[in-house]
Amino acid sequence: MNPGSQQFKVSVDEYLSQRAPEDLLVVYISGHGIRDIRGRLYFAATDTIQSRLTATGVEALWLMDRLEECAATQQVIILDCCFSGAFAAGAKGGADDLARDLAEISARGRGRIVLTASRATEFSFEGQAVPGSTITGSVFTAGLIDGLTSGTADVSNLGRISVEDAFRHACNFVRRHGVNQTPQRWSFGAEGTIWLAYAPSPQPKPASPPVPFTTPDAASGVIHGLDGRRMPPSRTNPIPRRSHQVSTPQQVPPAGGTVIGWGGRNPSVARAFATVLEFGRLAVPAGLRGVTAISAGSRHALALTADGNVLAWGDNSLGQTRVPTRRLRGVRMIAAGGAHSLALCADGTVVGWGNNNGGQAKAPNKLSEAVQIAAGGWHSLALLRDGSVAAWGENRDGQTRIPPRVQDVVSVAAGEAHSLALHADGTVTAWGRNNYGQSAVPTAATDIVTIAASGSYSMALRRDGQVISWGRAPTGSVPRNLAGALALSAGESHCLALGSDGVLHAWGDNSYEQCTIPDGLGGLIAVSAGGTFSLALVAVH
């Protein structure tokens, strides 16, 4: 309790050095968190002088280094202090190849999970911040203790509580008490389930299973449950066998969210001028609220609000951000391409604007049964209600020449000059430009639930959580298990994947910081990767 900075370090270091590989390591720190002028997090000790943080505080990166050296393969870090979300800044993500191999043959979970009481810019409150509450300590800690001691966090009635279940219970506890802080969760090299505690007693099972929250898949527009499975048609409102659900604003939280953007800024000023890249145009407009969908194009972006308005920003050299408001009626979906934009209206028609040199912004006149859209570099696609596909725009590489076998389709995706279709049986068909193999679907692409395409490559997510890519795909730390992922998005040279646990993964080219995920980013609803920038739709609490 209340150690000096040196005692703090010695105690923690001694504890970590004594751990064995099979141990479950839990580090819990509750106290004051302080950030320096560069945004780095320090834990305050009794002898910490705020003006001398480097010499008298305990830097979060020091703890991260000690954790890297610790032998324990299961590490749970719980930080309950102000600005604790800044802990993940500079953290090393991902396990090495040996750790992954061991995880695949072991039934035990492994990796590091960090739980923080607040975001990088938020305070962490104690009981006095909750009017009329009997909480005497931290609200976040009180929520964790409540879930562990009462057993209510054991939502699956297994007699044990996972880290994820304990965190979810604490989040609900904080929200229930109306405290203005947002707990965060990160995982590094995590595989399987890490169990935190035994439950005192199994909880009674509910009379009927809860209805899963559904969210639009950012890459496909098809509605999935949190486990990645397509949601069955409602019995009270049956849908014809070959029809498809449309991602509407009602399938995300009613209040919508706000948009966070990053990337688009090249550290090399000379290179930025050479590519004529203007970061200011890519900056997300301030004050966006009630957003239900996002789409990132090559150098522009779109957002759809709950009231059906389409917002656009970025490069407008070809009119791609000049939204034709009078022509849009009840917009349900948006898609940003190379230099053109598309909107799917409630009546199944598609409206386009921006670059139309190849006819990509002008949908066929008879098109009125569309349920999903995709915008490529110089062409456009629409999934029709009967499971067929319509295509228009540039056809120099056959990207709009739809093969006869493209039927019973549930999702479409468009790259720079190639097209993808996901069939109801989980197979994928590709056509168009194939100079890098982007249209040569590998045999491993079976049991697919999500597809994405951009530039000269294609991606698909299998039901077992494996990401498959072909063509000139970005390299990097591709996540190994994304079962039930909420979104998979392909940018020009980088990729984004949003796991069902809310963790965002990014890999590929980072020359413009498009893979540098902002500190403390949480509450994600959807993500979208553009040319050299990334977007995230974040829930507003």
Side-chain angles (χ1 to χ4, degrees):
M1 293 290 291
N2 300 324
S5 57
Q6 185 63 22
Q7 181 186 356
F8 184 117
K9 289 185 175 181
V10 171
S11 298
V12 172
D13 188 71
E14 181 179 5
Y15 175 67
L16 298 185
S17 65
Q18 295 174 357
R19 304 281 68 80
E22 65 274 11
D23 285 347
L24 164 64
L25 165 72
V26 178
V27 175
Y28 168 79
I29 299 175
S30 179
H32 290 292
I34 306 173
R35 300 184 70 182
D36 65 10
I37 59 175
R38 290 191 286 176
R40 296 175 301 184
L41 175 66
Y42 286 79
F43 304 113
T46 54
D47 57 353
T48 296
I49 302 173
Q50 189 161 353
S51 60
R52 296 288 184 271
L53 275 180
T54 304
T56 62
V58 180
E59 188 176 2
L61 285 178
W62 173 87
L63 175 59
M64 184 64 75
D65 286 340
R66 302 289 76 74
L67 293 170
E68 289 289 332
E69 297 172 355
C70 180
T73 55
Q74 295 189 98
Q75 301 181 2
V76 180
I77 318 303
I78 303 172
L79 305 178
D80 196 342
C81 62
C82 295
F83 318 122
S84 51
F87 178 76
K92 299 177 181 178
D96 57 25
D97 291 338
L98 175 60
R100 293 193 183 102
D101 292 340
L102 290 174
E104 290 173 357
I105 62 175
S106 173
R108 299 175 71 249
R110 63 189 298 114
R112 181 183 307 136
I113 298 179
V114 179
L115 309 181
T116 67
S118 61
R119 290 176 173 167
T121 57
E122 291 179 335
F123 293 99
S124 178
F125 293 100
E126 294 192 2
Q128 57 264 34
V130 184
S133 174
T134 58
I135 299 173
T136 57
S138 157
V139 182
F140 178 70
T141 294
L144 282 175
I145 294 175
D146 177 73
L148 296 176
T149 58
S150 67
T152 52
D154 179 21
V155 294
S156 300
N157 301 296
L158 298 175
R160 52 185 177 169
I161 300 170
S162 70
V163 177
E164 287 76 10
D165 288 340
F167 176 68
R168 190 176 296 110
H169 182 90
C171 289
N172 291 334
F173 187 92
V174 170
R175 188 179 302 113
R176 198 163 59 245
H177 284 82
V179 181
N180 188 26
Q181 66 187 68
T182 310
Q184 303 285 286
R185 174 193 180 280
W186 288 270
S187 64
F188 304 94
E191 300 275 355
T193 300
I194 295 180
W195 300 101
L196 186 60
Y198 288 105
S201 61
Q203 297 303 305
K205 295 183 178 181
S208 58
V211 178
F213 171 76
T214 57
T215 181
D217 187 304
S220 68
V222 177
I223 305 308
H224 298 271
L226 292 184
D227 58 359
R229 295 176 295 182
R230 294 179 182 83
M231 300 301 295
S234 168
R235 293 186 179 181
T236 58
N237 184 23
I239 299 176
R241 175 180 173 274
R242 293 171 64 91
S243 66
H244 308 278
Q245 298 187 35
V246 178
S247 62
T248 63
Q250 287 73 26
Q251 290 153 349
V252 296
T258 188
V259 182
I260 304 296
W262 64 96
R265 186 194 302 275
N266 195 311
S268 168
V269 176
R271 185 174 176 183
F273 276 116
T275 55
V276 201
L277 186 68
E278 299 179 50
F279 175 75
R281 290 187 176 185
L282 290 175
V284 178
L288 289 187
R289 290 293 186 274
V291 175
T292 58
I294 53 176
S295 182
S298 178
R299 292 181 58 184
H300 75 290
L302 303 176
L304 176 63
T305 63
D307 55 7
N309 288 328
V310 177
L311 308 174
W313 64 95
D315 181 25
N316 192 41
S317 57
L318 293 168
Q320 58 266 53
T321 63
R322 192 177 302 117
V323 182
T325 307
R326 295 183 179 179
R327 296 166 55 198
L328 301 179
R329 295 290 184 273
V331 176
R332 295 190 174 187
M333 188 176 293
I334 50 177
H340 71 290
S341 305
L342 300 177
L344 173 61
C345 298
D347 60 0
T349 59
V350 178
V351 176
W353 63 97
N355 184 16
N356 194 42
N357 290 345
Q360 66 269 39
K362 183 173 176 56
N365 293 331
K366 295 182 180 180
L367 186 65
S368 61
E369 292 289 319
V371 294
Q372 190 216 333
I373 51 177
W378 294 75
H379 74 293
S380 303
L381 302 175
L383 171 61
L384 305 184
R385 191 169 298 279
D386 63 359
S388 62
V389 176
W392 61 97
E394 175 64 56
N395 192 40
R396 188 172 304 175
D397 294 281
Q399 59 265 48
T400 62
R401 191 180 303 118
I402 302 170
R405 64 182 179 278
V406 178
Q407 297 294 327
D408 202 18
V409 176
V410 296
S411 179
V412 292
E416 181 181 357
H418 72 290
S419 306
L420 297 182
L422 172 61
H423 301 276
D425 62 359
T427 60
V428 177
T429 298
W431 64 98
R433 184 179 297 174
N434 195 40
N435 56 330
Y436 291 103
Q438 61 266 46
S439 294
V441 182
T443 56
T446 58
D447 202 19
I448 301 300
V449 295
T450 301
I451 55 174
S454 180
S456 300
Y457 71 97
S458 305
M459 284 200 305
L461 176 66
R462 289 173 43 135
R463 191 175 301 278
D464 61 7
Q466 180 182 356
V467 176
I468 299 172
S469 60
W470 59 98
R472 197 177 186 179
T475 58
S477 301
V478 181
R480 292 180 63 85
N481 187 357
L482 282 173
L486 302 180
L488 183 68
S489 185
E492 184 175 295
S493 56
H494 74 292
C495 307
L496 299 177
L498 177 59
S500 57
D501 56 2
V503 176
L504 177 59
H505 305 266
W507 67 97
D509 180 31
N510 196 37
S511 300
Y512 293 85
E513 301 178 352
Q514 61 265 52
C515 289
T516 304
I517 301 171
D519 296 338
L521 188 64
L524 302 180
I525 302 171
V527 294
S528 185
T532 58
F533 67 103
S534 303
L535 298 178
L537 178 56
V538 181
V540 177
H541 299 290

